[in-house]
Amino acid sequence: MKTFWSLLVAVFLTVYILVPCTSTSLNDFKTLDHLKPSTSADTQAQTVREMIKRFIPERASHFKVVVDPTIGPPNQDTFEIETTNVNETTIRGTSGVAAASGFYQYLNKFCYCHVSWSGDQLNIPSTLPVTPKVSMTSPNRFRYYQNVCTVSYSFAWWNWTRWEREIDWMAMNGINLPLAFNAQEAIWQRVFLQLGLTQQDIDHFFGGPAFLAWARMGNMRGWGGPLPQSWHSYQVQLQHQILQRMRDFGIIPVLPAFGGFVPKAFTRIFPEANITRLSDWGHFNDTYCCSYLVSPTDPLFQKVGQQFVKEYIKEFGTDHIYNTDMFNEMSPPSRDPSYLSSASKAVHDAMVAADPQAIWLMQGWLFQNGFWGPHETKAYLRGVPLGKMIVLDLFAEVHPIYVKTESFYGQPFIWCMLHNFGGNIEMYGVIDSVNQGPAQAQSFTNSSMVGTGLTPEGINQNYVMYDFMNQMGWTNQPVDDLENWLKDYAHSRYGIQSHGAVTSWGYLIKSVYNCTDGRKDHAKSSCILITRPSLKMQPDIWYKVKDVIDAWQHMLDATKQEKLLEQSETFRYDLIDVSRQVIENVAYCSLYKKMQEDYNNFDATGVQQQGEQLLELFDDLDELLSSNQHFLLGPWINAAKSLGTNQKEKDLYEYNARNQITLWGPSGEILDYANKMWGGLMKSYYKSRWQVFINMLVNSTSHHHKFDQKAFEKAVFPVESSWTFEKTVYPITPQGDAVALSQQLLTKYQPLFDDAVHNCDKTARKMEPSITSGISSDDYLQT
């Protein structure tokens, strides 16, 4: 097969590109046929036209948009692109999403433009490229988006402006089935008050804005709260805007439902009900630990579940698909198949009682837990009528569940790329698995696959992986020429054909973006600088450090050959990303390892010298990261405070924002899980605790004492905790020249490269691909 777009442009016929699948036919799940756009074709077309005006206002009149459901097969989005007049391109789609996708594919593949989380490149040729009529049809019903954690790690502080852009991005990338989880606490408050709870009962239950995801899943209660009433009012208003725009595009939003988790006060109000206190999650103290679960077999479960869905529909309407997850990272109280079947049946029955057309979409993350053997899994899945549930194979690029469950025992599923944990920005990907995985799932024996999806815990990182995965939603065959795909990607992302940039991407794709050992990697285990220090740090380096160094050097060389690259927003972002990755490698592979060696040799002077270089490195990184808006701490905190209507609310939201990315809990219960390598954070937070570590390490080395890690943790916690309560204002606009700063750091740290390569490349993991390897739920705490 040629590259993705080469296949498309080779087809100059008006027929559809329909690639036959050996898997289950789309039409086999008639139960899903009612999941379709709820607005008129004219409304969808007009919404796409307005989107085009937002991105290219001066050129918008050169595009005609038509939405016509008859141009493609049922339940499969199709778009057509055709030059219909001088400097006029017509985009046709079976839905608004299909038309928006066609528009973006024209921009991306014909005009070499690019839209991403990390910046846009929209230099459209003065004369639009002429195209014959070409068309493309997705092989699946759905392209899904979001993890239930994304709403907290990335979306927590979004206003309508930011949501509007993201919905535009969804449509342009073909996403037609996203979560829409805003305002559910406002609806739950109404339901709980109707059931007799007090406001105080409710305030002890809801998590704070940065921790809503885990309160919703019953992992903990109350942490980061209470939620102000102004929060509820704002979220209701925002959700109306979100849902209206999604529906106007022809997107099918997934709404929340009831998973059985209730406030502790239910035990007082309903003393006869079967309500269980759940086990600990995340080692939270008793104030925040251990939610309460209404037994699925108790009539109260149906009453509460039905009442919530009805109230939500009353406020927001419905598109008949709902998400909730039971037993997220918590084992059920019984292995009895009859109990497990009754549990899933109860969830679905509560939805159907409020909406007879309800479909339950659930995350398949729970099946990563060793509790779920074949009998337990089948009982749980088959508790819901076949085709009335869609399962997200959440981590399919590393650990697909469909292969060991006979395609989820016949329930339709979506092959998903999870990729990211905690919103970390470590460079990482499994591009070979993403390239091969969806096609393998489609051709699996008796496959029940109905779509592809993106399920990151956090966004705004590693955009190349998401761009690639989005394109997998429009084909059922792998890309067999990644080199050409990369050339097109670099050309579109930067707007310039640069040999140096393409060469750099070649090094990255074969190294950081091609982890093949079957393990999940993210910054908590890979970046020592943003992890609480110890003498036993062993970051997970699966690639050759030299490859990333070479990528950095080629990117900087490219700026000397193509001066216009320096002006590219997306290029500057990528240059900083590669620069900070190499510096992180140098920190561990050279300075930290030498400091370990000096400690073991009782060389206090050596420890002091390496420590001083490490601390200087924090300053250098902070300056580099502060030269790009996408690597700044300030916008995260500023966005949080902007939602407060008074100083008390602003303080609460700022604390939420600070705590999530550092301690994640009152006492560091999930410490560093959502760490970020951001300008402002490197110098003010991470450097401070490394200073404490280095001082204590020098002291113990000087006195020939064993370093006391527990004493260090006791000493450093007040430093960490005090930062979360601070009110320091951080810049929200970038400062400095990213290219010049990157070049300075390359020159400064180049003498350490050989040492770093020597120490780490010889130990880089070299394992055969194993995307079906077992995973311990303890290792993969999905917060």
Side-chain angles (χ1 to χ4, degrees):
M1 178 182 165
K2 300 178 181 178
T3 59
F4 169 82
W5 196 257
S6 297
L7 174 65
L8 189 153
V9 298
V11 181
F12 301 125
L13 305 174
T14 58
V15 298
Y16 311 119
I17 301 176
L18 298 175
V19 184
C21 300
T22 58
S23 59
T24 303
S25 167
L26 283 162
N27 294 324
D28 286 350
F29 290 108
K30 297 292 186 183
T31 52
L32 305 179
D33 284 354
H34 64 292
L35 300 180
K36 57 182 61 177
S38 58
T39 50
S40 69
D42 288 344
T43 296
Q44 294 173 58
Q46 181 58 28
T47 304
V48 176
R49 295 184 196 108
E50 292 168 356
M51 177 202 76
I52 294 172
K53 289 179 184 177
R54 284 191 288 275
F55 281 89
I56 49 169
E58 287 106 19
R59 307 298 298 277
S61 62
H62 297 167
F63 291 87
K64 291 180 61 178
V65 178
V66 177
V67 171
D68 180 358
T70 68
I71 68 170
N75 302 314
Q76 289 177 270
D77 270 334
T78 298
F79 62 76
E80 296 177 349
I81 305 169
E82 181 182 15
T83 296
T84 49
N85 212 329
V86 177
N87 224 13
E88 177 186 272
T89 298
T90 296
I91 312 291
R92 302 181 189 89
T94 51
S95 67
V97 171
S101 299
F103 164 72
Y104 182 61
Q105 292 303 330
Y106 178 78
L107 281 189
N108 187 241
K109 304 303 179 182
F110 286 96
C111 301
Y112 290 101
C113 294
H114 183 85
V115 174
S116 74
W117 298 319
S118 47
D120 300 339
Q121 189 284 111
L122 292 170
N123 295 321
I124 300 174
S126 56
T127 301
L128 292 179
V130 175
T131 63
K133 180 184 286 189
V134 295
S135 67
M136 176 160 277
T137 296
S138 173
N140 295 297
R141 289 177 187 257
F142 303 121
R143 276 86 51 206
Y144 173 81
Y145 178 45
Q146 290 181 46
N147 185 301
V148 293
C149 299
T150 323
V151 297
S152 292
Y153 283 133
S154 296
F155 303 168
W157 315 116
W158 282 8
N159 57 21
W160 170 241
T161 301
R162 183 61 185 88
W163 265 111
E164 180 176 54
R165 177 179 168 87
E166 193 73 4
I167 296 170
D168 286 345
W169 176 87
M170 293 181 203
M172 287 192 291
N173 284 279
I175 292 162
N176 63 351
L177 191 70
L179 288 184
F181 263 27
N182 289 58
Q184 57 183 288
E185 283 72 27
I187 305 304
W188 273 120
Q189 180 173 262
R190 296 179 195 174
V191 172
F192 289 153
L193 290 173
Q194 291 165 9
L195 291 171
L197 277 73
T198 67
Q199 189 61 52
Q200 187 177 29
D201 295 332
I202 298 169
D203 289 344
H204 288 164
F205 180 65
F206 293 149
F211 303 99
L212 289 176
W214 303 278
R216 292 167 178 174
M217 291 186 286
N219 298 128
M220 52 81 168
R221 56 193 172 96
W223 173 243
L227 289 175
Q229 292 305 309
S230 62
W231 175 269
H232 297 311
S233 300
Y234 181 70
Q235 293 300 313
V236 169
Q237 172 193 336
L238 187 59
Q239 181 72 332
H240 276 292
Q241 292 175 291
I242 291 167
L243 291 174
Q244 187 63 58
R245 182 59 56 80
M246 286 182 174
R247 288 164 177 160
D248 285 350
F249 266 120
I251 291 172
I252 305 164
V254 180
L255 304 180
F258 179 54
F261 307 110
V262 295
K264 182 180 180 180
F266 264 58
T267 60
R268 181 187 78 241
I269 297 172
F270 303 100
E272 303 302 319
N274 185 355
I275 300 174
T276 305
R277 188 175 190 267
L278 296 173
S279 59
D280 173 49
W281 176 92
H283 310 294
F284 279 83
N285 63 41
D286 190 62
T287 302
Y288 307 111
C289 158
C290 312
S291 294
Y292 290 77
L293 178 71
V294 178
S295 172
T297 60
D298 193 290
L300 184 61
F301 191 104
Q302 294 300 309
K303 178 181 179 180
V304 177
Q306 178 182 355
Q307 192 166 339
F308 172 75
V309 174
K310 279 188 173 181
E311 193 71 31
Y312 207 92
I313 293 173
K314 179 181 176 182
E315 179 68 45
F316 297 114
T318 185
D319 296 82
H320 310 297
I321 183 165
Y322 307 88
N323 167 263
T324 190
D325 294 297
M326 302 181 79
F327 313 127
N328 179 67
E329 293 171 0
M330 297 178 290
S331 296
S334 172
R335 285 186 177 275
D336 186 342
S338 62
Y339 169 80
L340 295 170
S341 292
S342 67
S344 58
K345 181 178 186 300
V347 172
H348 184 253
D349 284 352
M351 295 177 188
V352 171
D355 178 1
Q357 293 183 285
I359 299 294
W360 177 15
L361 180 140
M362 63 163 283
Q363 292 195 151
W365 182 256
L366 74 167
F367 300 128
Q368 305 281 350
N369 190 315
F371 171 92
W372 296 93
H375 297 296
E376 293 82 4
T377 304
K378 188 172 185 177
Y380 190 72
L381 291 173
R382 286 296 184 89
V384 178
L386 206 62
K388 293 289 187 176
M389 164 192 278
I390 300 174
V391 185
L392 300 177
D393 201 345
L394 205 73
F395 200 20
E397 84 274 24
V398 173
H399 190 212
I401 299 299
Y402 77 89
V403 296
K404 65 177 186 178
T405 57
E406 300 173 20
S407 199
F408 291 97
Y409 301 108
Q411 292 286 18
F413 78 93
I414 294 175
W415 193 102
C416 298
M417 180 187 81
L418 197 161
H419 180 265
N420 179 268
F421 292 81
N424 310 136
I425 63 172
E426 176 80 348
M427 297 183 84
Y428 163 74
V430 288
I431 199 162
D432 279 353
S433 177
V434 172
N435 192 21
Q436 302 289 333
Q440 291 172 350
Q442 286 174 329
S443 61
F444 188 73
T445 303
N446 297 319
S447 176
S448 53
M449 178 177 165
V450 294
T452 55
L454 304 174
T455 52
E457 288 192 351
I459 62 170
N460 301 318
Q461 38 72 33
N462 293 293
Y463 192 76
V464 64
M465 292 302 304
Y466 297 89
D467 189 87
F468 190 80
M469 183 62 213
N470 279 331
Q471 295 191 25
M472 291 297 100
W474 290 92
T475 180
N476 63 358
Q477 297 181 45
V479 173
D480 62 10
D481 191 344
L482 275 175
E483 182 179 350
N484 276 334
W485 185 88
L486 277 175
K487 288 179 181 178
D488 287 345
Y489 178 79
H491 187 181
S492 298
R493 186 160 170 82
Y494 307 141
I496 297 170
Q497 289 182 297
S498 167
H499 175 73
V502 172
T503 302
S504 177
W505 274 106
Y507 280 112
L508 296 174
I509 288 296
K510 76 174 185 178
S511 58
V512 289
Y513 289 122
N514 198 24
C515 184
T516 58
D517 61 15
R519 291 174 59 185
K520 176 253 320 182
D521 296 276
H522 63 94
K524 185 177 181 182
S525 62
S526 300
C527 297
I528 67 165
L529 297 176
I530 53 177
T531 304
R532 181 188 277 175
S534 77
L535 279 172
K536 297 181 179 180
M537 305 178 86
Q538 291 183 308
D540 194 8
I541 299 177
W542 63 92
Y543 52 89
K544 289 185 177 180
V545 171
K546 188 177 187 308
D547 285 338
V548 191
I549 292 173
D550 288 343
W552 186 13
Q553 292 174 322
H554 278 285
M555 289 193 86
L556 282 170
D557 288 344
T559 63
K560 298 166 186 174
Q561 299 160 3
E562 298 286 350
K563 286 294 184 181
L564 288 176
L565 278 175
E566 295 186 13
Q567 302 171 24
S568 167
E569 177 187 15
T570 44
F571 178 83
R572 291 196 302 271
Y573 176 95
D574 292 342
L575 178 62
I576 292 173
D577 210 18
V578 175
S579 304
R580 59 145 204 89
Q581 186 75 27
V582 173
I583 294 172
E584 163 63 29
N585 291 148
V586 167
Y588 171 71
C589 299
S590 179
L591 299 177
Y592 176 82
K593 279 185 168 289
K594 182 64 169 62
M595 189 166 64
Q596 280 181 315
E597 182 182 334
D598 291 337
Y599 165 80
N600 291 331
N601 292 329
F602 303 106
D603 181 356
T605 301
V607 171
Q608 180 74 46
Q609 289 174 346
Q610 307 309 320
E612 288 175 355
Q613 287 190 71
L614 273 170
L615 294 176
E616 188 175 339
L617 186 146
F618 280 95
D619 294 337
D620 290 338
L621 265 178
D622 199 87
E623 185 178 17
L624 174 69
L625 295 165
S626 296
S627 67
N628 187 284
Q629 63 181 356
H630 301 289
F631 290 102
L632 289 175
L633 166 65
W636 171 254
I637 294 179
N638 191 63
K641 292 192 294 184
S642 71
L643 297 186
T645 62
N646 55 50
Q647 193 57 49
K648 183 179 179 181
E649 292 177 5
K650 291 177 185 294
D651 290 347
L652 174 67
Y653 298 164
E654 179 171 5
Y655 178 76
N656 268 251
R658 285 172 174 261
N659 183 273
Q660 187 209 84
I661 60 175
T662 54
L663 292 177
W664 210 124
S667 303
E669 284 77 2
I670 310 178
L671 181 70
D672 293 328
Y673 187 89
N675 55 19
K676 304 290 189 295
M677 196 175 279
W678 283 345
L681 194 59
M682 298 301 296
K683 195 171 183 178
S684 68
Y685 180 76
Y686 296 121
K687 180 184 178 182
S688 298
R689 66 179 181 185
W690 271 86
Q691 180 73 73
V692 176
F693 174 76
I694 290 167
N695 289 344
M696 292 183 70
L697 188 62
V698 170
N699 184 63
S700 63
T701 308
S702 299
H703 293 87
H704 288 208
H705 293 161
K706 182 179 179 181
F707 181 75
D708 189 336
Q709 181 68 24
K710 289 186 177 180
F712 161 67
E713 291 174 358
K714 184 177 181 180
V716 80
F717 178 74
V719 175
E720 297 167 328
S721 181
S722 65
W723 187 90
T724 65
F725 290 98
E726 287 179 6
K727 297 294 185 289
T728 304
V729 176
Y730 294 94
I732 59 173
T733 55
Q735 303 170 30
D737 182 338
V739 177
L741 289 168
S742 179
Q743 182 64 64
Q744 291 170 18
L745 294 186
L746 177 67
T747 302
K748 180 175 181 176
Y749 290 102
Q750 199 162 22
L752 299 178
F753 288 175
D754 287 346
D755 191 35
V757 170
H758 173 75
N759 288 332
C760 282
D761 280 6
K762 64 182 180 182
T763 58
R765 291 192 267 110
K766 298 176 182 178
M767 300 172 64
E768 292 300 314
S770 176
I771 63 171
T772 58
S773 59
I775 296 180
S776 162
S777 60
D778 291 334
D779 292 337
Y780 291 88
L781 179 68
Q782 190 216 359
T783 57

